[in-house]
Amino acid sequence: MAVADFTTTYKESIFLPSQLSSLSSCLSNTRSHVLKPYLRARNVNKVYCSVAPNEVQTPVVPQPTSIKGECYGVFCLTYDLKAAEETKSWKSLINIAVSGAAGMISNHLLFKLASGEVFGQDQPIALKLLGSERSFQALEGVAMELEDSLYPLLREVSIGIDPYDVFRDVEWAILIGAKPRGPGMERADLLDINGQIFAEQGKALNAVASSNVKVIVVGNPCNTNALICLKNAPNIPAKNFHALTRLDENRAKCQLALKAGVFYDKVSNMTIWGNHSTTQVPDFLNARISGFPAKDVIKDTKWLENDFTEIVQKRGGVLIKKWGRSSAASTAVSIVDAIRSLVTPTPEGDWFSTGVYTNGNPYGIAEDIVFSMPCRSDGDGDYELVKDVLMDDFLRERIKK
């Protein structure tokens, strides 16, 4: 899925506009991206590129107005975003960081982000991709594929292995990079390794990201990692941190649809309470199928209380046994769904699940943890907890557990 070693050792060469013609032979092998709509002042201006020593021309004084640090290939070109007629109605560019960018989940996610599927067809984006020294060559390959895909909305791509560099000025951070769960592993087994990663990334976000950055934590155990990350980023609002439980919500919707004999777009108001783990609580009490309470459509209470819950809780583990690895494509889809739920107004009467900070919650859930709860959004990137939810003794006891 991603990598666990985020070090700060760089491999780089410095090139200037006068040298760009000599880069053509190397750009088919390695790059570092940015199609720039405008220029930002940088302390260091560098382009990552693998070339033989005898191909490097004598360095001259850098010109900051021409090259942005860590840009890649065609994305290093400078032009006016509003110059082309079709871009005049576009919104201002937003910066999106993705850690674990050379991993399987990112391999599905990045192209969805670049296509406009997530933020809209009038929203240009800059992708800032974080990898490790070990994965840097693969990260260059990812950047090459993004370059070759010719996405009009993808105006910048940069790659690096230092979160303090990659996270600079980002408005969204999707933290996938973590040691993945393998066969026989529980998420708690990953905590020692991945906790260190998310502590460091929280510090980096706190230091250099936008003060209102929205953070989606995917690497497991994501609830705990999100808590570690936000505790290391005191200058960023705690409610801006999310642990991804949308995949569990999607899995639960699918199982209810299968049992009811309907297509899954008929299932709404699906809540996942708690952790992205085998202790999660898929909430069938508040779920609705074709507008009716799920319990009124599916009369098999034993299935709802036992089989349904267990299927959803253990779906990831079953998939690992089948695949031999964690889910990737469906996880990427759920990240898209999670972000779209924050940037698109929630349909009237519906809600979505996301793991968020519990302080001030109306459900009696312990404070100072990250816990999946039902939320609504006005589409501005923020959210509010849903207050009008049903709670019976069965659900309350499950949530407490």
Side-chain angles (χ1 to χ4, degrees), residues 220-234:
N220 285 314
C222 65
N223 291 63
T224 306
N225 288 338
L227 183 65
I228 291 171
C229 197
L230 74 86
K231 288 293 185 179
N232 283 277

Side-chain angles (χ1 to χ4, degrees), residues 339-352:
I339 296 174
R340 284 187 57 80
S341 289
L342 292 169
V343 300
T344 306
T346 306
E348 184 70 26
D350 201 0
W351 58 68
F352 58 91

Side-chain angles (χ1 to χ4, degrees), residues 231-268:
K231 288 293 185 179
N232 283 277
N235 296 334
I236 299 170
K239 71 176 301 186
N240 287 16
F241 290 80
H242 298 258
L244 184 74
T245 57
R246 188 53 173 267
L247 179 56
D248 304 300
E249 177 185 329
N250 290 352
R251 289 168 171 170
K253 285 181 174 179
C254 183
Q255 295 305 313
L256 289 179
L258 282 169
K259 187 68 173 180
V262 300
F263 200 60
Y264 41 73
D265 63 352
K266 301 299 183 183
V267 182
S268 64

Side-chain angles (χ1 to χ4, degrees), residues 48 108 117 255 281 304 308 315 336 355 360 368 375 379 391 393:
Y48 290 96
H108 296 279
E117 180 179 338
Q255 295 305 313
V281 182
L304 287 170
F308 165 66
R315 181 77 165 183
V336 170
D368 203 32
C375 299
M391 195 77 71
D393 290 341

Side-chain angles (χ1 to χ4, degrees), residues 266-303:
K266 301 299 183 183
V267 182
S268 64
N269 302 84
M270 186 67 232
T271 306
I272 299 296
W273 299 91
N275 296 317
H276 173 58
S277 72
T278 54
T279 63
Q280 66 178 267
V281 182
D283 180 359
F284 57 82
L285 177 64
N286 288 283
R288 303 185 77 84
I289 301 173
S290 299
F292 299 98
K295 289 184 70 176
D296 292 348
V297 177
I298 300 173
K299 305 293 187 179
D300 190 344
T301 302
K302 182 179 178 181
W303 181 86

Side-chain angles (χ1 to χ4, degrees), residues 361-377:
N361 79 86
Y363 316 115
I365 295 167
E367 300 211 334
D368 203 32
I369 60 175
V370 171
F371 198 89
S372 184
M373 299 179 285
C375 299
R376 292 191 182 105
S377 177

